[in-house]
Amino acid sequence: MNDFWLARSARERLLILMAALLVTALLLNVLLVRPLRTARQNAELSLAVASRTLDAVSAARANVGTEQATGGPVVSGEDLRARLVDLASQRGLAVSRLQSNERGAIIVQFDQASVQTLFAWLEAAERQLGAEPAQASIFADTSGTVRASFEFRGGAS
């Protein structure tokens, strides 16, 4: 390789170095810059969607709160537990874990649930049972589904 390099004139060496720099710049662009730009654009879109979803959920939650204050249905205890599971199965959701903690709260967990179905279940639980989650966590899976956990107060009988 060294003989090949030394056998080239200064002009050929310069052209080879410039070609190597261009190939390096192209590879950096294709392998690093473009994926990072795409990831940033996707993150910005996800942030916008999440922001709109938060606004819609906050507005809906305020409406549910006023409905409950005016005497909407409120279910608690073991009845709430059973009705939450029934509501989930009516919507095609499989409850992966159901438990009560030491504070008497009911914790409902779902694996591989559709986002739309999950939010429809949550809305129905608030509207029909008066059950608002005190805590919620939702994590996206690579398959387009989510893992979610909701903690409802008022589970103690």
Side-chain angles (χ1 to χ4, degrees):
M1 184 72 181
N2 197 21
D3 291 335
F4 172 79
W5 186 254
L6 292 176
R8 303 288 145 226
S9 67
R11 182 176 177 202
E12 288 175 333
R13 288 181 195 166
L14 180 63
L15 287 173
I16 291 171
L17 284 175
M18 291 191 61
L21 285 174
L22 285 173
V23 168
T24 302
L26 175 68
L27 286 175
L28 281 174
N29 184 36
V30 169
L31 297 176
L32 190 66
V33 174
R34 284 186 185 175
L36 287 176
R37 280 188 183 159
T38 302
R40 182 173 183 184
Q41 289 172 348
N42 289 342
E44 288 172 352
L45 290 174
S46 293
L47 176 63
V49 169
S51 178
R52 286 192 305 269
T53 303
L54 177 62
D55 291 343
V57 168
S58 296
R61 184 178 172 126
N63 291 341
V64 168
T66 58
E67 287 173 9
Q68 285 182 358
T70 62
V74 177
V75 180
S76 64
E78 288 298 318
D79 189 36
L80 175 62
R81 226 177 128 109
R83 302 235 350 236
L84 284 171
V85 172
D86 288 343
L87 205 56
S89 29
Q90 288 171 7
R91 303 234 180 254
L93 287 170
V95 175
S96 62
R97 188 170 183 188
L98 179 66
Q99 66 185 43
S100 297
N101 64 16
E102 62 279 354
R103 297 183 311 264
I106 298 171
I107 300 169
V108 183
Q109 294 179 347
F110 301 97
D111 290 332
Q112 297 180 341
S114 159
V115 175
Q116 293 84 1
T117 307
L118 187 68
F119 280 123
W121 169 80
L122 189 59
E123 186 271 332
E126 289 181 10
R127 185 174 31 81
Q128 294 175 12
L129 308 176
E132 289 185 19
Q135 290 184 343
S137 60
I138 301 174
F139 301 97
D141 288 336
T142 56
S143 62
T145 59
V146 295
R147 285 182 335 224
S149 176
F150 299 97
E151 180 178 315
F152 294 93
R153 302 275 191 255
S157 332

